[in-house]
Amino acid sequence: MELPAEEPIRVKANVEIAIRVEIFRRRLHNLDLFNALMFSNPDVNHVTNPITALAFVNLGSQLLLLAGEGPYLKIFHHDTSQVLEVKRVFESQAVHGIATTNAATYIDGVIVVNLLIWGNKSLRIAQLHANAADARPCLDLKDELQADDWILDACFRPGVYSAPQDRDAVLVTAHNVAFHLCSAPRSRRPTLKHVKAGPRSMLYSACIEWTEDRKIVIASGTVLGEVLLWSFSHTELSAVRGGTPVSHELHYRFEGHEGSVFGVGISPELSGLGSGYAKRMLASCSDDRTIRLWDISGLDKDEVLSDGKLEHIDSSIVFPDDDTKHVTVRCVATVMGHASRIWDLRFLVSGNGLGIISLGEDSTAQMWQLAHDPRVEGSSPTRGPDNLHLVHRQTYAFNQGKNIWASALVRNDGGSHTVVTGGADGRIVSHNIHQGDDIAGGKRLTTEWTMQDVNAKLQWRRPLIAQSAPAVSPSPRNTKSQYVFEELGGTWVIKRNIRSARPTYPSGIFNGKATLERRYTSATDIDREYLYTEDGTFTADQGLAFQASRQYVYRYRHDSDTISAWFVKPDEHSRADYLFHDLRLEDSSESKNGQHPPGELLLQASGYHLCIDDHYTPTYTFRFKDAALEEWSLAYQVSGPQKDYVAEASYTREHDDQRRNRQCDEHETTSAQMQLRRCKESLPGDQKTRKDDFKSYVFLQYNLFLVTTAQGRVLLGSIVAPFGIQGKMLGFGKGSPAVKWELIGQFDALRSSSIATKALESYLVLVSGNNGIVFSYGILEKQILPIFDLGRKATFLYAQRIHNRDGAQLSGVQEHLILATCLGLPVAHVHKHGDPDLDDPKQLYFLSLPDSFIVTSACYIEPFSVWMLGSRSGSVAFYDASLLSADTKVEPCSIVLDVHGENAITVMQCLWEWEVDQPVYILTAGRDGKYALHTISTTRSASKQLEVIFHTVHRSMPPLGPNIEGAAFDSHKQELTLWGFRSKFFIVWNASKDMETTTVECGGAHRHWAHIPRGNGAEGGTFVWTKASVCNVHLQTSTSHKVFQSGGHGREIKAMALSPVLDRSDGSKNRYIATGAEDTTIRIWSYNHERGSEDGFKRLATLNKHTTGIQQLQWSDNGQLLFSAAGCEEFFAWRVQPVSLIGIGAVCEALCPSVTEDGDLRIMDFCFEEIDSQNNNLRGEGRNYLVSIVYSDSSLRIFRYISNCTRSYFTLLQTNTYTTNCLTQVLRLQPTTQATTHSYLCTASSDGHIALWPADSIFCNPTPDPDLKYNNKNNTIHFSHRHRIHQNTIKCMTVVQPASAPNQYLLLSGGDDGALGITRLTFYTPSTAAGEPPTCSTLLYPKAHAAAINAISYIRTLRGPAGSPPVQIFATSGNDQRVKTWGVQCAANVPGTEGLRVEKRGDKSTSVGDVAALCAMTTSHSGTHVFVAGIGMECLRDVELGMAVADGL
């Protein structure tokens, strides 16, 4: 029997709501519950949908962010990221765009901003207003209008409106038609009037710009790859009301794109881009992955094409003014970017600079800079005649999955821009862009240091171990001489003019570079010393040119506060020979000329030297600007019988940009010149011929680090305030972290190579080199000391502070255990350091290493006195370190293989606190790109042998990259941070927030580097690395971007499952939602039932193992196992459990083997049943499941799955093939007839049939042999009965068994035909003979949905009227974006469809597109929640679904 489709009753929304409210009010007995439902915000559901529109609004002193998420509009406070208000703008249509007035209207103390919100053809007018006193915004939704076509863009008239009701805006639609929105006369209601159609074309994008001369310019991107630019005058809009047509002007028709144009934008007028006149640009992006920039500067001169067309980019136009100027209209620049299609772009204007932000399908935003290169002549496919080209500056990969749909930007004070992006993953991200700077978001500061720079800035050296003479204690720079001497260090550009009165001494110009390089003092009474070296070219007045160089030594003595210059002996490593002259600084800070500019300081010094009969009178002038020495001069007046000349030299400091240009030029020089430069950068003294390089780095804290060099030096780098006076006096420019360098010592044992490490929970640093001597450095002592000798080169060092049994430090000092391995030795040395009873570090014992066990990580688990070592091959070894005597050799008590596959374990940390009662967790990470959490416990056997129980509770692979090199757990924020390398980038990843916090382009993993997070709840960290022999220091004091909302999957969700009630790590109970999507990830969520709460869906874990899109998910009855299915025959079993550190942990404990050789089948669906281990001889094997899986080749296979802590595996039991049609669904039925329970598998297929497969032999009598293998001849299953329900594919189905009829099932199915099928299955009634197939009766509800039904879910059972059966409530949804609820009653005593009654109880639109999954949850205190998943997620409630909360309670 088929019921006709119901005709929808079209009732106005407010009337329908009123009727429903009255019905519910009468039904509800609890008035408080009714009020709680009605007076909470009924418009707001918890949603996680794609972000399709973004806009900034300045409301008084507040910067607000508006976000369109499905049909909802969310208002965020930009500074606090707080959600201020959420309103449903449209019933079902998603918000596609938001336009705002550029200025607020102030009326009676109220700030008002008008909004236009559109989606598809719908247009909503709204007002955002706030009382100036409390400034909390309120959104009022006004009239909703309908255009006759898809709206692409809208724009308000610039200026201030006299009243908030005044509206003057222009819209453009998909057929290139402009509409005028204005207030109607008298009524003041808005009207939408047709203005003018532009050039006929179908558009994918449009942009409206109001110029200063009240011209409305429209740029249109067409489906066929053209860009049209046309305009009309605003003064003609008034003619629209009178019916007068408005004329338009077609300015340009640009061709060049090879695909549809998805985004266009018009820039403001710019200068400084070549050609000598101001320019206006138009940018377009396309399906062909290119961004093109077009010159539309003629718009400001009101030119009109004579024929109204411009067919190609090289045509010419004429300006109709008196000066008739001929200009070529052309494509200025072209660039290809992104990995896939480019959806949109926006201009960033900073001064005369022009940047572009592009948004792509690859889920990235990319920054481009328009650059003018006057050195390049001619044009190319990517450059115009003005040599303008787009240069890629930065890639922002803050969103996940595919597609960034929306963006908004605002210019900040100081010229920077704040850019916000939103994508298909529902994540909203804000970051700052500083054009022309190295800052890409947050407060990120980077500086570069060559060894020459470091030598020039070295502070007083600390006492050396081998130095017998007493060291001079450092003192502050409190004298002029001391300050001048410090500032002299570095590289200077020199120009010297020599004018001689004697023909024997030539006159000419010397150009070159001078370096003052810090080196060790060569005399005990000298405190600091520079080696002055200048090289360059001297060109005589007669034209003769030759290379020239000279050297001096400049010295500073602290006791006499004097600077002196000395001659050198070049044959003796530039040793100081004899005094040249002293520098006598003048007392006055004023120059001899009197005044000097503000912020500048002039210091002068003079000297004297007698060379036989010739007199040398040097005069120095030092010019300081903002406390930094940027230039100085030196003039020699030489007179005598042999010489008579004046030499005037000017010195200008070489900055970073000059150094970079010089390094670029050196790439084009000969190898001999390159070798000469390397020699110049070598160490002074007896190491002059050897180059010094940066080697190992180690941090003591986020602003303090040690560096070892190839010459055995140990340097201490201190990061100081980059913008304060301290940074200026140290000689660093704005925007770079100032690093103060100190020389700690120099040791032969650390030459060539060295390794360094910092002890956990302390500031002890260990350093070792080739000969095995281990040095220690403490932050308080600030000296480096040898502590023990390993005898040969150390390959691994680890140190950890130890506590007493109460968790306090031992004896008030820091005791450490130190573990070290040596090259070629199969043991690890364990020493104790810091014991107050020991004068020297004591060697405690040796740890014997297994064969080929190369230690890469270590951890001392103090609660159990157990050492845990990780290897390069991914295995872990445990050692019992309790009750050991000295020099004992300890064998491993346990070895665990393949903890991280066959990849090196790089991270090993014990996450445990003495004062906290929690399990002992071990964090590991490796170069397999995964991190894991493990629990550890120990027992002792009767022989007192230690047994270690090592169990993995969580494993995940974040999108960080293949190399995870470090990790830290911040106990203040309870957040886990990982870092490592992806390609040439260093990445820091917050695993708790599932977001990238730092990205630094460093060149990749193969280099010396170190990183430390700030910790203690603070954001950011410091990263230091070597690249091209340059030390780079990167300081970040915040995350690289701000996340307003985390969002969800980056692709459409295909599967969703709701867990049973589980115990959480904090002791509470909850149910989890698991979702799987086409982005190959599985996410586990918790849900907050409170309406209006901001964190409805909260992500708890992300599971990354599948390589194809997820197809199906199901929880086990106890909630400990989650089964997932995907393409390529991937079927995984995940163990899920609460973990106190991260909330919830999950680990893939088994993989179902592939069933075909190629492994290319898709798993369409599966079901499983747990076997009662008490009824068979499988006891002791753990939990046992029978899993039935249907594949895309129309096959059905049954596996047995055994899950336990030691071994989990699948075994194939039975299989067979249906027909040539694809199986799409499978369920298990267990009808009971005459006290006998039978088992069936019910499958659905693409031919619209269901099939029943008797399975008593496998489900009721499972095989007792755990190792039984599949036998093709004997282990097959056959279907016994087929029944047609739908015309084509059955896409979803579910069953419920009436309580009064254990031999019956109600099967609800949805198909591609949009029909809802209710099939009644009756098994073995008393009137039928045993063995006969069940009877199947179907009641088909055609056109239940306007499109395919993709999801169906049982909700709950309600009490029926007196004497009638209960009502089974189901929900269905599909491609029509409607969620409908149905009530089904089944009279057990009335056979067939005559006993069925179906009623549609609710019909609600959902903001989720392409719905693929539904699940429902009912609680006694919050009613029923139906979760909808597809392109996003949403939760719908009782009231919205047409059900009263009291029903069925």
Side-chain angles (χ1 to χ4, degrees):
M1 175 182 178
E2 294 187 358
L3 295 178
E6 288 188 355
E7 287 293 326
I9 302 175
R10 302 191 180 277
V11 184
K12 290 186 178 180
N14 55 352
V15 178
E16 185 178 4
I17 292 176
I19 295 174
R20 290 184 178 182
V21 168
E22 179 62 21
I23 294 174
F24 298 157
R25 188 188 65 80
R26 294 178 180 179
R27 283 183 161 180
L28 290 174
H29 302 290
N30 190 335
L31 184 59
D32 293 334
L33 181 58
F34 170 76
N35 292 332
L37 281 172
M38 290 297 100
F39 293 102
S40 60
N41 190 343
D43 293 331
V44 181
N45 294 326
H46 288 136
V47 296
T48 302
N49 286 336
I51 304 300
T52 51
L54 290 168
F56 278 110
V57 171
N58 279 300
L59 195 66
S61 60
Q62 297 185 94
L63 179 61
L64 305 180
L65 176 66
L66 310 182
E69 186 174 5
Y72 299 96
L73 184 70
K74 292 185 176 180
I75 303 176
F76 296 88
H77 192 287
H78 182 265
D79 295 335
T80 64
S81 303
Q82 180 186 0
V83 179
L84 301 179
E85 190 167 2
V86 182
K87 280 279 183 83
R88 187 165 193 143
V89 179
F90 302 114
E91 174 62 24
S92 58
Q93 175 58 48
V95 175
H96 290 157
I98 305 168
T100 68
T101 51
N102 62 346
T105 302
Y106 292 82
I107 299 177
D108 297 330
V110 177
I111 311 170
V112 180
V113 174
N114 286 329
L115 305 178
L116 283 182
I117 309 168
W118 69 89
N120 199 338
K121 300 179 182 181
S122 300
L123 177 68
R124 193 71 182 257
I125 301 170
Q127 284 184 350
L128 188 64
H129 57 84
N131 188 313
D134 60 15
R136 184 172 181 87
C138 180
L139 181 67
D140 288 340
L141 298 177
K142 303 296 183 181
D143 307 274
E144 181 174 350
L145 306 176
Q146 290 290 321
D148 58 2
D149 200 357
W150 192 292
I151 301 172
L152 296 180
D153 195 22
C155 183
F156 279 104
R157 170 179 56 84
V160 179
Y161 292 84
S162 59
Q165 294 81 12
D166 292 339
R167 304 174 184 93
D168 193 357
V170 173
L171 293 76
V172 63
T173 62
H175 280 83
N176 212 13
V177 177
F179 287 84
H180 182 212
L181 176 70
C182 59
S183 299
R186 297 179 183 175
S187 67
R188 309 292 289 173
R189 290 183 56 83
T191 59
L192 196 60
K193 297 289 187 178
H194 180 280
V195 178
K196 185 63 181 178
R200 293 178 57 84
S201 185
M202 176 67 74
L203 307 185
Y204 269 164
S205 58
C207 176
I208 304 174
E209 181 77 13
W210 294 65
T211 62
E212 294 181 358
D213 56 355
R214 301 176 65 82
K215 179 187 292 185
I216 300 169
V217 181
I218 299 176
S220 308
T222 71
V223 174
L224 300 179
E226 292 181 331
V227 180
L228 308 175
L229 192 72
W230 58 287
S231 69
F232 57 90
S233 175
H234 175 262
T235 57
E236 300 182 23
L237 289 179
S238 58
V240 176
R241 301 175 183 175
T244 305
V246 175
S247 62
H248 77 278
E249 303 164 1
L250 173 63
H251 297 279
Y252 308 127
R253 184 192 303 271
F254 294 129
E255 297 177 351
H257 283 294
E258 298 179 358
S260 300
V261 179
F262 293 130
V264 290
I266 301 174
S267 78
E269 189 176 83
L270 304 164
S271 60
L273 298 179
S275 300
Y277 63 92
K279 289 191 174 184
R280 188 185 293 273
M281 297 292 180
L282 184 151
S284 58
C285 59
S286 169
D287 194 17
D288 60 7
R289 296 173 48 208
T290 65
I291 299 172
R292 293 178 181 267
L293 206 58
W294 316 86
D295 184 359
I296 58 171
S297 306
L299 284 178
D300 299 326
K301 297 186 179 293
D302 294 328
E303 84 283 8
V304 182
L305 300 181
S306 58
D307 59 354
K309 295 182 179 180
L310 185 61
E311 297 296 345
H312 53 84
I313 63 174
D314 292 327
S315 298
S316 298
I317 63 174
V318 176
F319 293 149
D321 56 13
D322 296 337
D323 297 329
T324 305
K325 186 175 180 180
H326 188 77
V327 176
T328 301
V329 180
R330 61 194 177 277
C331 181
V332 174
T334 302
V335 69
M336 177 172 284
H338 293 271
S340 53
R341 292 175 289 187
I342 305 175
W343 294 128
D344 201 2
L345 47 75
R346 288 181 179 270
F347 280 107
L348 286 84
V349 180
S350 178
N352 291 324
L354 186 66
I356 292 176
I357 285 286
S358 58
L359 316 175
E361 187 181 19
D362 58 1
S363 198
T364 66
Q366 299 192 16
M367 171 68 183
W368 308 87
Q369 187 77 37
L370 183 62
H372 173 63
D373 192 352
R375 298 176 300 176
V376 181
E377 297 182 357
S379 60
S380 69
T382 60
R383 299 172 186 251
D386 289 330
N387 294 320
L388 296 175
H389 60 287
L390 289 169
V391 180
H392 184 267
R393 294 299 188 194
Q394 188 77 23
T395 297
Y396 307 99
F398 300 141
N399 293 83
Q400 300 177 6
K402 289 182 65 175
N403 301 315
I404 293 182
W405 294 123
S407 67
L409 63 90
V410 63
R411 184 169 180 174
N412 307 315
D413 295 337
S416 66
H417 291 81
T418 297
V419 179
V420 177
T421 58
D425 58 353
R427 176 172 290 188
I428 303 176
V429 178
S430 170
H431 59 280
N432 290 334
I433 294 179
H434 299 242
Q435 281 188 271
D437 208 340
D438 188 39
I439 302 175
K443 296 180 180 177
R444 299 169 46 171
L445 307 169
T446 304
T447 188
E448 298 177 354
W449 290 87
T450 65
M451 188 61 73
Q452 186 177 6
D453 296 333
V454 173
N455 292 334
K457 291 294 181 182
L458 276 177
Q459 303 293 307
W460 274 276
R461 53 197 171 105
R462 297 291 177 182
L464 304 182
I465 299 303
Q467 181 175 332
S468 57
V472 179
S473 301
S475 62
R477 298 179 355 175
N478 52 8
T479 68
K480 295 178 182 179
S481 298
Q482 181 179 343
Y483 187 77
V484 168
F485 188 85
E486 288 296 323
E487 289 295 315
L488 279 175
T491 302
W492 303 87
V493 178
I494 179 175
K495 182 177 181 180
R496 181 180 292 116
N497 186 357
I498 301 177
R499 298 291 101 187
S500 176
R502 299 181 183 272
T504 56
Y505 198 93
S507 299
I509 303 295
F510 174 84
N511 289 284
K513 295 191 186 304
T515 60
L516 284 94
E517 182 178 20
R518 179 69 56 82
R519 69 176 189 177
Y520 298 117
T521 59
S522 53
T524 58
D525 59 343
I526 300 301
D527 295 296
R528 303 192 185 188
E529 188 171 291
Y530 287 124
L531 175 64
Y532 173 95
T533 304
E534 69 175 41
D535 290 284
T537 303
F538 178 79
T539 304
D541 290 348
Q542 295 79 9
L544 178 65
F546 55 88
Q547 295 294 314
S549 64
R550 69 172 67 183
Q551 287 185 322
Y552 297 105
V553 170
Y554 280 87
R555 289 174 164 179
Y556 174 75
R557 288 188 60 171
H558 179 69
D559 53 359
S560 61
D561 191 29
T562 58
I563 303 173
S564 57
W566 295 68
F567 291 104
V568 300
K569 288 186 176 182
D571 296 337
E572 297 184 15
H573 305 294
S574 302
R575 185 175 62 85
D577 189 5
Y578 60 93
L579 178 67
F580 185 7
H581 59 265
D582 290 321
L583 279 72
R584 297 184 299 273
L585 286 172
E586 294 183 356
D587 294 337
S588 174
S589 62
E590 297 285 343
S591 66
K592 291 183 178 181
N593 295 327
Q595 299 297 322
H596 49 267
E600 289 193 2
L601 175 68
L602 295 181
L603 293 178
Q604 289 190 336
S606 60
Y608 175 76
H609 175 73
L610 177 62
C611 180
I612 307 177
D613 295 328
D614 296 323
H615 301 268
Y616 287 76
T617 305
T619 302
Y620 294 80
T621 302
F622 303 100
R623 184 181 298 275
F624 291 85
K625 185 176 182 179
D626 294 332
L629 181 61
E630 296 296 332
E631 58 184 43
W632 57 286
S633 62
L634 172 57
Y636 280 103
Q637 180 73 41
V638 183
S639 61
Q642 302 297 327
K643 302 174 183 178
D644 187 4
Y645 67 89
V646 176
E648 297 179 342
S650 64
Y651 295 79
T652 305
R653 186 178 296 279
E654 182 183 44
H655 293 287
D656 290 341
D657 54 348
Q658 294 173 307
R659 185 184 301 114
R660 292 191 192 98
N661 292 335
R662 176 162 55 87
Q663 290 172 348
C664 292
D665 294 338
E666 286 176 352
H667 283 292
E668 302 174 1
T669 61
T670 63
S671 59
Q673 291 172 316
M674 293 288 289
Q675 184 63 31
L676 177 63
R677 171 165 170 77
R678 295 192 184 99
C679 292
K680 290 181 181 179
E681 293 179 348
S682 61
L683 278 175
D686 58 352
Q687 303 299 328
K688 180 69 179 176
T689 59
R690 301 184 62 183
K691 180 182 177 181
D692 202 5
D693 285 326
F694 302 99
K695 288 300 181 180
S696 57
Y697 300 94
V698 62
F699 277 98
L700 288 88
Q701 54 193 30
Y702 84 94
N703 60 350
L704 196 64
F705 60 94
L706 280 183
V707 188
T708 63
T709 73
Q711 295 303 314
R713 293 194 294 171
V714 181
L715 308 176
L716 179 66
S718 304
I719 303 175
V720 297
F723 299 121
I725 184 64
Q726 186 179 8
K728 291 180 180 179
M729 292 181 66
L730 287 171
F732 299 95
K734 184 177 180 180
S736 299
V739 180
K740 183 176 70 175
W741 295 95
E742 294 183 57
L743 177 63
I744 303 301
Q746 183 172 15
F747 305 91
D748 290 336
L750 299 179
R751 293 186 187 274
S752 182
S753 68
S754 59
I755 59 175
T757 187
K758 174 184 172 295
L760 292 178
E761 301 181 1
S762 75
Y763 295 107
L764 176 69
V765 170
L766 302 178
V767 185
S768 184
N770 286 327
N771 62 1
I773 298 178
V774 178
F775 298 84
S776 71
Y777 177 84
I779 192 173
L780 298 179
E781 298 83 4
K782 287 196 174 181
Q783 61 179 352
I784 189 164
L785 299 170
I787 54 174
F788 59 83
D789 189 355
L790 295 172
R792 61 175 66 190
K793 181 178 180 179
T795 58
F796 178 79
L797 282 177
Y798 175 80
Q800 181 175 326
R801 192 188 70 172
I802 56 177
H803 306 74
N804 62 20
R805 287 300 171 183
D806 295 329
Q809 290 181 210
L810 292 169
S811 306
V813 298
Q814 290 189 354
E815 274 191 47
H816 297 83
L817 286 180
I818 301 174
L819 182 141
T821 62
C822 299
L823 184 65
L825 290 183
V827 295
H829 303 254
V830 178
H831 294 254
K832 179 181 283 189
H833 175 65
D835 192 333
D837 298 329
L838 299 175
D839 294 333
D840 299 315
K842 177 183 179 182
Q843 173 146 346
L844 300 180
Y845 43 81
F846 299 94
L847 304 181
S848 178
L849 302 179
D851 294 339
S852 303
F853 193 97
I854 300 175
V855 179
T856 57
S857 56
C859 175
Y860 181 68
I861 307 172
E862 201 168 350
F864 306 120
S865 298
V866 169
W867 276 102
M868 178 179 176
L869 305 184
S871 75
R872 184 178 295 177
S873 60
S875 57
V876 169
F878 295 93
Y879 297 84
D880 183 5
S882 61
L883 304 177
L884 294 176
S885 58
D887 299 329
T888 303
K889 189 175 182 180
V890 185
E891 298 293 332
C893 60
S894 178
I895 298 177
V896 182
L897 302 177
D898 300 329
V899 175
H900 282 273
E902 297 181 354
N903 301 276
I905 301 175
T906 55
V907 176
M908 189 174 286
Q909 295 181 19
C910 179
L911 305 179
W912 183 77
E913 298 179 9
W914 287 98
E915 62 273 13
V916 180
D917 184 16
Q918 65 177 22
V920 177
Y921 290 104
I922 304 296
L923 170 67
T924 63
R927 295 200 174 118
D928 59 349
K930 301 176 182 177
Y931 75 93
L933 278 174
H934 319 268
T935 58
I936 185 173
S937 57
T938 61
T939 60
R940 290 195 179 271
S941 62
S943 60
K944 296 186 178 181
Q945 180 71 27
L946 183 71
E947 297 180 3
V948 177
I949 303 172
F950 183 72
H951 181 58
T952 302
V953 297
H954 182 70
R955 189 185 302 274
S956 183
M957 184 169 65
L960 168 61
N963 297 329
I964 299 179
E965 301 292 343
F969 184 79
D970 192 330
S971 58
H972 290 77
K973 297 187 296 183
Q974 292 291 299
E975 291 180 2
L976 175 63
T977 301
L978 308 168
W979 57 85
F981 295 88
R982 181 175 63 219
S983 181
K984 60 182 180 179
F985 296 95
F986 174 77
I987 307 294
V988 179
W989 181 267
N990 188 318
S992 302
K993 293 183 177 179
D994 199 24
M995 61 178 283
E996 187 176 296
T997 60
T998 299
T999 303
V1000 180
E1001 185 175 352
C1002 65
H1006 302 291
R1007 63 197 64 254
H1008 298 287
W1009 64 276
H1011 170 73
I1012 186 172
R1014 296 184 68 190
N1016 296 327
E1019 300 287 351
T1022 311
F1023 176 50
V1024 57
W1025 74 99
T1026 302
K1027 183 178 181 181
S1029 299
V1030 176
C1031 171
N1032 298 264
V1033 181
H1034 177 93
L1035 173 66
Q1036 185 167 319
T1037 57
S1038 65
T1039 58
S1040 59
H1041 57 283
K1042 180 168 62 176
V1043 177
F1044 289 87
Q1045 66 178 31
S1046 299
H1049 290 278
R1051 298 284 302 276
E1052 54 270 26
I1053 299 172
K1054 291 295 186 181
M1056 179 168 55
L1058 184 65
S1059 76
V1061 178
L1062 301 175
D1063 294 328
R1064 302 181 64 175
S1065 58
D1066 58 2
S1068 62
K1069 296 183 180 295
N1070 200 357
R1071 301 182 73 178
Y1072 299 127
I1073 303 170
T1075 57
E1078 286 291 341
D1079 61 4
T1080 74
T1081 65
I1082 300 171
R1083 295 178 184 261
I1084 299 177
W1085 312 77
S1086 64
Y1087 180 71
N1088 187 345
H1089 303 284
E1090 298 299 326
R1091 180 185 287 271
S1093 62
E1094 297 180 12
D1095 55 345
F1097 295 101
K1098 182 180 179 181
R1099 186 194 62 84
L1100 301 177
T1102 301
L1103 313 183
N1104 306 83
K1105 190 174 180 65
H1106 284 283
T1107 60
T1108 59
I1110 312 299
Q1111 295 295 313
Q1112 188 60 271
L1113 296 169
Q1114 288 189 41
W1115 291 88
S1116 63
D1117 292 339
N1118 60 6
Q1120 296 179 0
L1121 287 180
L1122 175 65
F1123 294 97
S1124 62
C1128 295
E1129 302 175 18
E1130 294 178 348
F1131 187 85
F1132 300 157
W1134 305 83
R1135 179 160 295 278
V1136 182
Q1137 54 193 309
V1139 177
S1140 58
L1141 287 180
I1142 59 176
I1144 190 171
V1147 60
C1148 181
E1149 67 174 21
L1151 287 71
C1152 185
S1154 298
V1155 297
T1156 63
E1157 183 176 352
D1158 297 331
D1160 57 353
L1161 298 180
R1162 174 178 294 184
I1163 296 177
M1164 306 300 296
D1165 194 18
F1166 68 90
C1167 66
F1168 65 90
E1169 187 77 18
E1170 184 175 3
I1171 302 172
D1172 187 1
S1173 300
Q1174 301 300 321
N1175 295 333
N1176 54 65
N1177 62 353
L1178 295 179
R1179 292 187 299 272
E1181 289 286 339
R1183 291 189 175 272
N1184 299 268
Y1185 299 87
L1186 291 179
V1187 183
S1188 304
I1189 305 176
V1190 292
Y1191 295 83
S1192 56
D1193 65 347
S1194 193
S1195 62
L1196 167 65
R1197 290 175 172 85
I1198 303 175
F1199 295 85
R1200 188 184 65 191
Y1201 175 61
I1202 296 179
S1203 171
N1204 56 36
C1205 59
T1206 58
R1207 180 177 176 236
S1208 300
Y1209 59 94
F1210 288 88
T1211 303
L1212 179 62
L1213 301 181
Q1214 290 188 349
T1215 184
N1216 207 340
T1217 302
Y1218 172 61
T1219 64
T1220 57
N1221 295 284
C1222 179
L1223 292 176
T1224 59
Q1225 303 287 311
V1226 62
L1227 293 170
R1228 187 193 172 194
L1229 308 178
Q1230 285 185 290
T1232 299
T1233 60
Q1234 299 177 351
T1236 302
T1237 300
H1238 302 273
S1239 290
Y1240 286 87
L1241 290 178
C1242 178
T1243 61
S1245 60
S1246 57
D1247 60 1
H1249 287 72
I1250 60 170
L1252 297 176
W1253 307 65
D1256 284 352
S1257 61
I1258 188 68
F1259 283 92
C1260 299
N1261 299 290
T1263 174
D1265 185 3
D1267 297 321
L1268 177 68
K1269 303 299 181 182
Y1270 170 70
N1271 186 306
N1272 191 42
K1273 295 182 179 179
N1274 301 323
N1275 297 284
T1276 58
I1277 185 172
H1278 303 274
F1279 65 88
S1280 62
H1281 182 69
R1282 296 174 65 214
H1283 175 71
R1284 185 181 186 91
I1285 300 177
H1286 294 273
Q1287 298 178 6
N1288 41 32
T1289 303
I1290 298 177
K1291 306 198 71 174
C1292 57
M1293 67 179 184
T1294 188
V1295 294
V1296 64
Q1297 191 171 26
S1300 59
N1303 67 323
Q1304 296 185 21
Y1305 277 94
L1306 286 179
L1307 185 148
L1308 273 75
S1309 59
D1312 257 340
D1313 54 4
L1316 174 66
I1318 302 97
T1319 301
R1320 185 176 185 179
L1321 303 175
T1322 305
F1323 294 85
Y1324 309 122
T1325 60
S1327 60
T1328 60
E1332 286 190 12
T1335 58
C1336 302
S1337 305
T1338 297
L1339 179 65
L1340 193 66
Y1341 197 107
K1343 299 181 181 179
H1345 283 264
I1349 300 177
N1350 299 326
I1352 188 168
S1353 176
Y1354 167 75
I1355 298 180
R1356 60 181 177 179
T1357 300
L1358 303 180
R1359 292 190 301 266
S1364 63
V1367 182
Q1368 314 289 343
I1369 303 297
F1370 296 86
T1372 60
S1373 188
N1375 294 337
D1376 60 353
Q1377 270 186 262
R1378 310 291 300 182
V1379 176
K1380 301 184 179 183
T1381 53
W1382 311 84
V1384 180
Q1385 291 179 289
C1386 178
N1389 55 352
V1390 180
T1393 58
E1394 300 298 329
L1396 297 178
R1397 183 177 180 271
V1398 181
E1399 176 190 7
K1400 184 169 70 173
R1401 299 173 62 94
D1403 186 351
K1404 174 70 175 178
S1405 66
T1406 175
S1407 62
V1408 177
D1410 292 344
V1411 176
L1414 292 172
C1415 61
M1417 174 175 63
T1418 301
T1419 61
S1420 58
H1421 64 280
S1422 60
T1424 296
H1425 306 75
V1426 174
F1427 301 100
V1428 187
I1431 303 179
M1433 288 194 301
E1434 183 178 23
C1435 176
L1436 301 176
R1437 301 170 183 254
D1438 299 86
V1439 175
E1440 296 150 336
L1441 295 171
M1443 298 180 294
V1445 180
D1447 283 344
L1449 299 181

